[in-house]
Amino acid sequence: WQQRPPNSSAAAGLVPRANGTSRAAERGSAVSVAIPLTMMLTGVAGNALAMLLVSRSYRAKGSRRKRSFLLCIGSLALTDMLGQLLTSPIVISVYLSGRPWAAMDPSGRLCDFFGVSMTVFGLCPLLIASAMAAERALAIRAPHWYASHMSPRATERCLAAIWAAGLAFALLPLAGLGRYSLQWPGTWCFISAAGGSAAFAAAFASLGLLSLVVTGACNLATIAALVSRCRAKAGAAQPGSRWGRIATETLLQLLGIMCVLAACWSPLLITMLRMVSEPRAGPCRAGWQRWELRRECHLSLTAVRLASLNQILDPWVYLLLRTILLRQCRQAASAVSRCSRGPCRDSASASRDRAITLSPESRQTAA
């Protein structure tokens, strides 16, 4: 995981050098830079689109009850987009320059900035996701308390507290509690899990896993409440089919959110705890065989990329896919609502009566 010193033979064999002496190295560098570039462009585009949709919905009439949820969605999209804009260009520039990080950042301040950004924009989305899950659970299970206590101003205060807490936690290594270090393959910095920084790394991983547990517990509570209401309406004389469709789509969305969060963040958080609890389990350390070292380093890099992938998937899981899937349902509901009014219903009845009185020959002619 940690990048070894530049004069180490193992590090020299593993860190790619884009010096133009080998076509294979150039192809490998091109593939490497394509990954962060593609992730940055898709992430920024998706989050920008999500923010645009949230802004339009927030200003629309009749959205007062949804403003707290829309604020959480917008803040999550903004956090994810800022994280990509602050970190991805640095990774891309390091890949393209072909120079070692120490030559570009002799003072180490850029590494600290990168580590702070990674920590803030990694921890805050997890905390915001937990807040959104708690907000949905309260809205479903305690609607009266939610209506009387929750407001956009309270949501703004909660989000400000989350950002402040995430920033304060990320600045602890600069105060001597923990350390940010260069990570393999020498293109990014993150929390060091070695030595005195192990406690800080364990705290980050524990907070992340706790956020995942809270999100899952709140979503499961929401799902249980929705299932209970569906059963209650199914036993009623006139079950609400439209409400049942909305409840089913909400259940699927909540399950998708839990699966995406767990799949994207669990590998990185578990890897950090494994490195803290088992010093020899950390990749990129001395004394490992070359093939085993390379495999562990690639696994750690894949875990980080999975966590970064969550910033791309967030707007689609929370908003964009739901908007696309519900578009046809909204159009169908609007058509049914218009046709249920008097003129449409009367005209439909008249047309049905005319069809009944028509003879078979007339029906064929009309057809």
Side-chain angles (χ1 to χ4, degrees):
W1 174 280
Q2 261 98 11
Q3 173 69 19
R4 297 186 63 193
N7 57 1
S8 170
S9 58
L14 287 177
V15 178
R17 296 178 180 178
N19 51 15
T21 59
S22 171
R23 293 182 179 180
E26 290 177 358
R27 287 196 298 269
S29 177
V31 173
S32 298
V33 76
I35 294 176
L37 181 61
T38 302
M39 294 178 70
M40 183 187 72
L41 293 178
T42 54
V44 170
N47 285 294
L49 180 58
M51 292 176 62
L52 177 62
L53 293 177
V54 167
S55 177
R56 293 177 58 184
S57 299
Y58 190 84
R59 292 195 302 265
K61 295 181 179 179
S63 64
R64 293 187 59 184
R65 295 183 179 181
K66 300 184 294 183
R67 284 187 176 179
S68 295
F69 182 75
L70 292 174
L71 282 174
C72 292
I73 288 284
S75 63
L76 180 63
L78 178 62
T79 304
D80 288 337
M81 188 172 66
L82 287 178
Q84 291 168 335
L85 290 177
L86 290 178
T87 57
S88 296
I90 300 176
V91 176
I92 294 170
S93 63
V94 173
Y95 270 116
L96 294 178
S97 67
R99 300 169 58 193
W101 187 288
M104 300 179 59
D105 180 32
S107 64
R109 294 180 179 177
L110 182 61
C111 186
D112 289 337
F113 171 78
F114 197 99
V116 169
S117 299
M118 287 283 291
T119 304
V120 170
F121 298 107
L123 187 60
C124 285
L126 290 173
L127 297 177
I128 293 174
S130 298
M132 293 173 64
E135 186 267 347
R136 280 191 299 268
L138 289 174
I140 296 296
R141 299 187 69 90
H144 298 292
W145 186 93
Y146 179 87
S148 60
H149 291 81
M150 288 299 296
S151 64
R153 185 174 296 275
T155 305
E156 292 173 357
R157 293 174 180 173
C158 179
L159 293 172
I162 289 175
W163 284 324
L167 181 60
F169 181 84
L171 292 176
L172 289 179
L174 303 184
L177 301 176
R179 183 171 63 90
Y180 295 115
S181 63
L182 190 64
Q183 310 292 329
W184 190 86
T187 56
W188 60 292
C189 292
F190 196 48
I191 301 171
S192 173
S197 299
F200 183 71
F204 177 85
S206 300
L207 285 175
L209 290 174
L210 179 62
S211 299
L212 291 179
V213 171
V214 171
T215 302
C218 291
N219 285 339
L220 289 176
T222 304
I223 290 174
L226 289 175
V227 170
S228 176
R229 290 193 182 185
C230 283
R231 290 178 177 176
K233 286 184 175 292
Q238 295 179 349
S241 58
R242 184 172 180 270
W243 192 93
R245 289 195 302 270
I246 294 176
T248 302
E249 292 160 358
T250 303
L251 293 178
L252 294 176
Q253 186 191 28
L254 294 177
L255 290 174
I257 289 170
M258 289 191 295
C259 292
V260 168
L261 280 175
C264 290
W265 277 103
S266 295
L268 176 61
L269 300 175
I270 294 175
T271 299
M272 293 182 68
L273 287 180
R274 177 170 169 260
M275 291 166 55
V276 171
S277 60
E278 303 175 14
R280 287 185 57 83
C284 300
R285 297 181 186 271
W288 287 66
Q289 297 296 327
R290 182 182 180 85
W291 66 270
E292 192 174 5
L293 176 65
R294 184 182 295 274
R295 180 177 61 86
E296 292 291 337
C297 290
H298 278 295
L299 288 176
S300 298
L301 187 60
T302 301
V304 173
R305 284 173 174 170
L306 279 175
S308 301
L309 185 64
N310 183 246
Q311 296 177 328
I312 301 174
L313 297 177
D314 272 344
W316 294 95
V317 172
Y318 280 99
L319 186 66
L320 299 181
L321 278 181
R322 182 175 175 84
T323 302
I324 294 172
L325 291 175
L326 292 181
R327 184 174 300 161
Q328 293 181 349
C329 292
R330 286 201 304 266
Q331 292 175 353
S334 299
V336 171
S337 176
R338 286 195 301 269
C339 289
S340 64
R341 296 172 184 173
C344 183
R345 185 166 48 202
D346 294 340
S347 61
S349 300
S351 299
R352 186 167 55 251
D353 295 337
R354 285 197 303 270
I356 294 175
T357 57
L358 284 176
S359 63
E361 294 79 10
S362 300
R363 291 178 185 176
Q364 293 177 359
T365 304

